[in-house]
Amino acid sequence: MKPLHAFSGGMFRARHRRILELAGWQVRLGWPGRAGHVGVWGRRPVARRGIWVAGQTGARLVTVEDGFLRSIHPGVTGEPPLSLIIDDLGVHYDAARPSRLEALIEAGREDPAAQDLMARIQSAGLSKYSPIGRDAARPPTPGYVLVIDQTRNDSSIPGALANTASFAQMLNAARAENPGAKILIRGHPDCAVSAKTGHFAPSELRRGETLLSAPCNPWPLLEGAQRVYTVSSQLGFEALMAGCQVTCFGRPFYAGWGLTDDRCHGPRRGQSRNLAQLFTAAYLEYPVYYDPWRDRLTSLTETVETLALFAKRQAGPRPETLILGGFRLWKRRNTLRFTRPGTRPVFQDPPERALAAAKSRNAPLWVWASKAPPGLLDRAKDAEVTAALVEDGFIRSAGLGAGLVDASSLVVDDLGIYYDPNRPSRLEQLIADAATLPPDAPEIARAEALIAQITTAGITKYNIGQQPDFTPHPGKKIILVPGQVEDDASIRLGAPGSTNRALLHAARAATDGYLIYKPHPDVEAGLRPGHVPDAFEIADFVAQNSDADALMARADEIWTLTSLMGFEALLRGKQVICLGQPFYAGWGLTQDHTPLSRRSARPKLPALVWAALIAYPRYIDPVTRLPCPPELLIERLAEGSAPSPPPARRLLAKAQGWCAGQGLIFWR
């Protein structure tokens, strides 16, 4: 690891320092030797000290800057970066001198994945910052001329051989060269979240000219532009990616290679390069990318997907307040990890009072689904309140909710809830939409890989239990019957009046196979109703405290009311018979005793998995507490790195179990 004597405080921030360490640089204070390295942040005034030290000592100057895909929110908000540029020749926005990026562009390499990555960045709506999601963007009617403003005193402006006057020249040129055209001026995102200012004021504009000062997603804006003018903004390069004609009044890194209309000329850059070559150099070869979950360097491809996931969770207008109803005390802190950062939570019970609070505060509402009174979503809609029902996801944790183990996934459904077949849910809509995906769609490929990951690792909802020890009768099919909590909402709504005992008898009457009954873990712990006293007389084997994956691996058929084990069995290629109406029934993948006519789509299993495990839930990494994809959660559960509940909560869970065992009234 090479010492990097830093003369910019930003490099001592935890994330910046860690990325530099992973890239082979040990950040330290002190005076470098002649063969040493001096680190500075960009070309801000504070960097002059380091530049002077490098000149005095003969040490090599290393410039550090944010990468071109940095984060969701700007750095001025305090959000740490996912990429850094480490340049030992110069810096990409200083056109007066060579930089490592310029050398990479001159080399002219073109990565085979460049075109696909550019398309993915554009489709995901990603830019250096992406505070507003692409879907939330409401661009003007296409056909305008786009002029890109920048913050005053930004180092990239003099670095691009431009100055404040260049912005006035740019706007005048846009007017003269596009007579009668509507002109939109896009303000810099930093100006909306800090005291920084741009170069244009509304009072200076003419009729037909508009200043867009609010944050917006740049891609729909670029796609609607007939021409783009910039001084040195990175948005100019994204405009090239969007297929725009770009005129530069400065000398940014992408100018001078034959792709832009250049009004400012400088030394070097005589060769022509295509867009894929510039992208390869600037996005694939120049920056280093950081994986915040695994604390390691990673690729651009993975970083694009990470930012796409973060953008889905964080982008868009952030509500000032979120009202939450029906959440038990121990769940509340963990639930907030699934909400938007910076939103103030207000817990209000009962749910009806929460609805009234949401209406009075003009705030969105989340209600724990099993605590929601009938018709709550309809009443919220009538009251013009944005409301959703919340429930645990299908890959939950290494432990039970009744054991007060935090959930690593939640579903937030604004139409209904997945276990209620009496009304449509967001999941039901996602499944129907997924049924239309072509077999070669990337969503299908990802779902197939996820199925393989889950089944190889043996992951289930709770991931607890021991290996079962039973010897089936030779030649008989093994029939697995998972028990459920009988007062669970999924039975009340999806199999009303049903019991575990009735399910066992139905399975026994329909088959002479070897019948295995697996009691629900909450029932085994004495925390919830559903005990079957004569289960040993009906079933051939009662799998107490047994691992669900091991049981499903040996079973031929699964008989269930609405248990998630039916879905998990489908992932393992098992035949599933449903007496109730769980979310995975009615689509042609199960044998259904009570079909649901509304579910007319016929998705293949990967499409169902895409909807249920990828598109529908929100996941939180149990280690870093960051939003994560399901693949990472499965990785954590498989390696056993998810933390256990704190001692106080474990003690509370034990006390709760003891009280339940004594037949006492207890909070749950």
Side-chain angles (χ1 to χ4, degrees):
M1 188 174 292
K2 294 177 287 188
L4 183 63
H5 297 270
F7 285 82
S8 295
M11 280 185 276
F12 288 95
R13 294 175 185 166
R15 174 66 62 79
H16 299 77
R17 187 169 187 166
R18 182 56 180 154
I19 296 175
L20 286 165
E21 286 175 353
L22 292 169
W25 297 96
Q26 184 182 40
V27 181
R28 60 170 62 172
L29 295 170
W31 199 263
R34 185 172 183 82
H37 295 83
V38 170
V40 297
W41 189 269
R43 288 295 181 267
R44 297 177 182 176
V46 70
R48 294 171 187 164
R49 295 175 297 177
I51 295 171
W52 181 84
V53 170
Q56 293 296 307
T57 62
R60 187 157 190 170
L61 188 68
V62 177
T63 303
V64 181
E65 260 287 1
D66 288 329
F68 300 125
L69 285 176
R70 183 198 186 277
S71 55
I72 299 302
H73 298 284
V76 295
T77 66
E79 186 169 336
L82 292 184
S83 66
L84 286 182
I85 287 163
I86 307 168
D87 197 321
D88 60 344
L89 292 181
V91 66
H92 64 88
Y93 55 73
D94 184 359
R97 299 167 184 82
S99 69
R100 180 61 60 187
L101 175 56
E102 193 171 282
L104 291 169
I105 295 173
E106 287 176 348
R109 288 180 288 272
E110 181 177 333
D111 192 283
Q115 296 289 352
D116 289 341
L117 281 167
M118 284 191 283
R120 177 60 180 138
I121 289 169
Q122 186 170 351
S123 68
L126 299 179
S127 186
K128 185 172 185 176
Y129 321 118
S130 306
I132 303 297
R134 184 184 176 101
D135 293 342
R138 295 179 179 177
T141 303
Y144 46 83
V145 172
L146 183 63
V147 175
I148 302 170
D149 196 7
Q150 295 172 244
T151 57
R152 288 182 179 271
N153 303 317
D154 187 85
S155 300
S156 73
I157 297 171
L161 312 179
N163 51 41
T164 300
S166 303
F167 288 85
Q169 294 167 7
M170 172 175 64
L171 180 56
N172 287 331
R175 291 165 173 164
E177 295 168 10
N178 304 276
K182 182 178 180 180
I183 294 179
L184 297 183
I185 301 173
R186 196 260 194 177
H188 194 278
D190 279 358
C191 297
V193 294
S194 71
K196 295 181 179 181
T197 59
H199 294 83
F200 302 109
S203 60
E204 301 171 351
L205 304 184
R206 300 175 182 174
R207 179 177 296 180
E209 298 175 355
T210 304
L211 176 61
L212 303 175
S213 56
C216 63
N217 190 283
W219 291 101
L221 198 61
L222 293 171
E223 290 159 3
Q226 64 183 22
R227 192 168 178 181
V228 174
Y229 289 79
T230 183
V231 173
S232 62
S233 172
Q234 180 187 323
L235 202 60
F237 184 71
E238 291 167 353
L240 290 175
M241 292 167 60
C244 300
Q245 180 185 351
V246 178
T247 299
C248 295
F249 278 75
R251 191 77 166 169
F253 75 87
Y254 52 87
W257 306 102
L259 296 173
T260 52
D261 171 21
D262 298 327
R263 307 297 171 87
C264 176
H265 300 279
R268 304 177 313 279
R269 304 185 191 179
Q271 311 94 320
S272 293
R273 292 289 180 263
N274 63 40
L275 182 59
Q277 289 171 320
L278 258 67
F279 180 84
T280 297
Y283 282 72
L284 285 159
E285 298 178 329
Y286 192 41
V288 291
Y289 295 97
Y290 178 71
D291 181 341
W293 300 305
R294 301 174 183 87
D295 187 33
R296 68 186 186 192
L297 296 185
T298 187
S299 66
L300 171 62
T301 301
E302 291 190 0
T303 301
V304 167
E305 296 309 318
T306 299
L307 284 169
L309 186 148
F310 286 179
K312 183 179 179 181
R313 279 285 308 278
Q314 300 181 42
R318 183 183 67 205
E320 180 180 338
T321 303
L322 174 66
I323 310 298
L324 302 101
F327 289 81
R328 297 173 187 167
L329 290 174
W330 71 271
K331 290 182 177 181
R332 294 183 177 184
R333 182 176 181 181
N334 186 60
T335 298
L336 298 182
R337 297 187 174 108
F338 294 87
T339 64
R340 285 283 304 279
T343 298
R344 185 169 69 92
V346 175
F347 289 93
Q348 181 74 67
D349 287 313
E352 291 286 5
R353 186 177 295 175
L355 173 57
K359 180 174 176 57
S360 66
R361 294 170 179 253
N362 192 27
L365 171 68
W366 284 11
V367 175
W368 193 260
S370 62
K371 302 295 183 182
L376 180 74
L377 288 181
D378 294 330
R379 290 195 295 280
K381 184 177 180 180
D382 292 341
E384 298 183 342
V385 171
T386 301
L389 301 181
V390 180
E391 187 47 272
D392 288 338
F394 307 129
I395 304 171
R396 185 190 185 281
S397 56
L400 301 173
L404 309 189
V405 178
D406 284 334
S408 291
S409 66
L410 286 184
V411 300
V412 181
D413 198 316
D414 61 334
L415 296 181
I417 193 64
Y418 67 86
Y419 57 69
D420 184 1
N422 300 295
R423 62 179 293 159
S425 68
R426 180 62 60 185
L427 174 57
E428 197 170 282
Q429 186 177 88
L430 288 168
I431 294 171
D433 291 344
T436 65
L437 291 170
D440 59 349
E443 294 89 345
I444 297 300
R446 183 180 174 190
E448 290 171 342
L450 185 62
I451 293 170
Q453 185 186 11
I454 290 171
T455 55
T456 300
I459 298 301
T460 60
K461 182 174 183 177
Y462 296 117
N463 305 290
I464 57 174
Q466 303 170 348
Q467 289 292 319
D469 184 12
F470 63 91
T471 304
H473 299 158
K476 286 195 172 185
K477 287 198 301 185
I478 298 176
I479 311 299
L480 176 61
V481 181
Q484 294 180 245
V485 175
E486 288 182 352
D487 67 349
D488 190 77
S490 71
I491 290 183
R492 287 190 286 106
L493 298 170
S498 299
T499 64
N500 290 327
R501 191 172 187 275
L503 173 64
L504 265 173
H505 275 296
R508 172 55 73 204
T511 177
D512 64 349
Y514 185 84
L515 201 62
I516 299 174
Y517 177 63
K518 183 191 184 307
H520 191 280
D522 284 353
V523 175
E524 286 185 302
L527 299 174
R528 305 290 295 275
H531 179 57
V532 182
D534 56 347
F536 288 93
E537 299 173 13
I538 307 171
D540 296 293
F541 179 72
V542 177
Q544 296 176 307
N545 300 312
S546 294
D547 176 67
D549 177 68
L551 289 170
M552 287 186 286
R554 299 184 65 180
D556 298 300
E557 286 182 7
I558 312 293
W559 280 64
T560 182
L561 296 173
T562 61
S563 172
L564 183 64
M565 279 188 65
F567 175 66
E568 294 169 341
L570 287 176
L571 303 188
R572 291 156 173 83
K574 307 297 180 178
Q575 187 175 8
V576 179
I577 294 90
C578 296
L579 272 64
Q581 295 176 323
F583 74 87
Y584 53 87
W587 306 103
L589 298 171
T590 55
Q591 292 185 22
D592 302 320
H593 283 220
T594 52
L596 190 60
S597 59
R598 188 177 66 244
R599 298 176 181 173
S600 57
R602 287 296 175 262
K604 301 296 184 183
L605 180 62
L608 178 68
V609 169
W610 163 259
L613 296 184
I614 298 174
Y616 189 48
R618 304 180 183 195
Y619 296 93
I620 290 290
D621 175 15
V623 176
T624 65
R625 305 297 188 185
L626 292 171
C628 74
E631 292 87 348
L632 182 88
L633 178 56
I634 293 164
E635 184 180 311
R636 297 292 198 208
L637 294 170
E639 66 189 16
S641 59
S644 300
R649 195 182 296 173
R650 292 200 299 270
L651 183 62
L652 178 60
K654 288 181 182 295
Q656 177 175 294
W658 182 85
C659 291
Q662 305 306 308
L664 303 176
I665 296 174
F666 66 100
W667 172 81
R668 59 172 175 80

